[in-house]
Amino acid sequence: MSVPRPATPVLDRLRVGSAPDSWGVWFPEDEQQVPWRRFLDEVAEAGYEWIELGPYGYLPTDAGVLREETARRGLKVSAGTVFTSLHHGPAVWEATWEQVARVAALAGALDASHLVVIPSFWRDDKTAKELEPRRLSAEQWRHQAAGMERLARRVREEYGLGIVVHPHADTHIDTEENVVRFLDATDGELVKLCLDTGHYAYCGGDSVELIRRYGERIGYLHLKQVDPDILADVRAKGTPFGPAVRQGVMCEPPRGVPELPPVLEAAQELGVDLFAIVEQDMYPCPPDQPFPIAERTRRFLRSCGA
């Protein structure tokens, strides 16, 4: 007597997309990166409907041009991305807002709904030089929380976007301890989280547990995996994030951790619509490497029900 195979879950609350990051794009301009038209062509051909803007200036910053280029490929924009150092307090507000306003204006003009906010790095991702202490003081934590709430209010009021803060390796919002501290210090109606499954695993966190514990704060997903063997070497040697990526610490699903089906199913159980944007950090990479990976990853996510 054969045992029936369990049915694939229907993950219809997840809007799957990809991002320039999955094509090895980290900078507005870099000779090692694929041209933006090739990225748009390939992300559409790989079967994705949603994209992020990536680093401001990589894709056209003229909203009319970008709208035409995305529309004719059947693509839509989910979010823009900014880096901030709000833990430094009011002194950095004006410079922060100048950057945020550019990205938010473009994202809003493309009908995006989110702005992904990444805290600044505490060490240089190329040289490993410590740029500032690894741990924030109590005062800096207060500045971080107050600054993010201020940012969220203004972005919502002026551009109609919600901010989602992205825990990231080599930043001050990284480990479970720091993520939970940040969530507990901020207004849940204003500040949501972009849970990057790869970065959270890189920093020792459990994505499924975080979704179940703080589900109302999860506003966005980045789908990513880490290679556990390379991660062990990275941790043992204290390798900074940039060289770790070049070492291949972020890997193609389903070859790494965390397992994505339980993450996707936990996110589906929240009962809200969520973007689930694939990101596989691999800067720099050969120009022909990203597309086959993107195709295989999209097929894998479909096999999971997404």
Side-chain angles (χ1 to χ4, degrees):
M1 177 179 173
S2 62
V3 178
R5 297 177 63 185
T8 301
V10 177
L11 305 178
D12 56 358
R13 303 307 295 262
L14 305 182
R15 291 173 282 181
V16 175
S18 193
D21 185 52
S22 294
W23 267 255
V25 175
W26 277 13
F27 304 102
E29 294 183 19
D30 189 291
E31 62 183 12
Q32 299 181 88
Q33 298 175 171
V34 298
W36 64 267
R37 287 185 177 86
R38 178 171 178 176
F39 160 69
L40 291 179
D41 287 342
E42 292 188 350
V43 72
E45 188 178 347
Y48 296 96
E49 179 182 0
W50 295 93
I51 61 166
E52 292 182 0
L53 294 176
Y56 183 80
Y58 172 67
L59 294 176
T61 56
D62 182 308
V65 171
L66 185 54
R67 182 183 293 277
E68 180 180 343
E69 294 285 352
T70 52
R72 68 186 183 86
R73 295 172 172 87
L75 297 171
K76 294 179 284 188
V77 175
S78 62
T81 301
V82 296
F83 285 83
T84 63
S85 54
L86 293 169
H87 62 286
H88 290 303
V92 302
W93 174 259
E94 291 304 325
T96 300
W97 181 251
E98 183 180 356
Q99 174 216 170
V100 168
R102 286 196 304 268
V103 179
L106 181 59
L110 271 295
D111 300 320
S113 53
H114 292 82
L115 193 66
V116 177
V117 180
I118 302 176
S120 56
F121 285 39
W122 57 264
R123 67 175 170 182
D124 190 284
D125 66 347
K126 293 182 179 179
T127 67
K129 177 183 177 182
E130 291 199 13
L131 305 172
E132 56 184 308
R134 184 170 188 162
R135 293 187 175 277
L136 297 180
S137 67
E139 181 182 32
Q140 288 174 319
W141 272 111
R142 288 193 293 272
H143 285 320
Q144 182 86 278
M148 288 295 185
E149 290 179 347
R150 182 183 182 187
L151 189 70
R153 288 189 189 94
R154 190 164 178 185
V155 167
R156 184 171 65 186
E157 289 168 1
E158 296 195 20
Y159 298 102
L161 305 176
I163 73 164
V164 284
V165 178
H166 183 324
H168 196 291
D170 285 4
T171 75
H172 296 108
I173 305 178
D174 51 1
T175 61
E176 178 185 357
E177 176 187 1
N178 287 335
V179 170
V180 168
R181 181 171 182 171
F182 175 74
L183 291 176
D184 288 346
T186 49
D187 183 342
E189 293 301 312
L190 283 172
V191 180
K192 303 295 184 181
L193 207 66
C194 170
L195 172 58
D196 184 304
T197 59
H199 279 278
Y200 201 51
Y202 185 104
C203 298
D206 183 325
S207 290
V208 172
E209 180 186 3
L210 188 71
I211 292 170
R212 289 178 175 161
R213 183 178 173 189
Y214 283 94
E216 74 283 357
R217 301 297 298 275
I218 306 299
Y220 201 92
L221 294 174
H222 277 172
L223 302 180
K224 188 179 298 176
Q225 286 189 321
V226 295
D227 182 309
D229 294 330
I230 296 177
L231 180 60
D233 180 76
V234 165
R235 287 174 173 167
K237 296 177 179 175
T239 306
F241 181 66
V245 167
R246 291 193 289 276
Q247 196 176 333
V249 72
M250 299 299 180
C251 65
E252 175 182 346
R255 300 175 182 175
V257 296
E259 289 187 43
L260 290 181
V263 174
L264 298 170
E265 290 165 26
Q268 172 76 15
E269 289 169 7
L270 295 177
V272 297
D273 292 334
L274 284 174
F275 285 108
I277 305 298
V278 175
E279 281 198 330
Q280 184 182 339
D281 298 316
M282 49 184 181
Y283 172 87
C285 66
D288 294 332
Q289 180 176 322
F291 177 67
I293 293 174
E295 277 195 312
R296 290 193 296 267
T297 300
R298 189 66 192 96
R299 285 198 299 270
F300 168 70
L301 292 173
R302 287 195 185 100
S303 77
C304 298

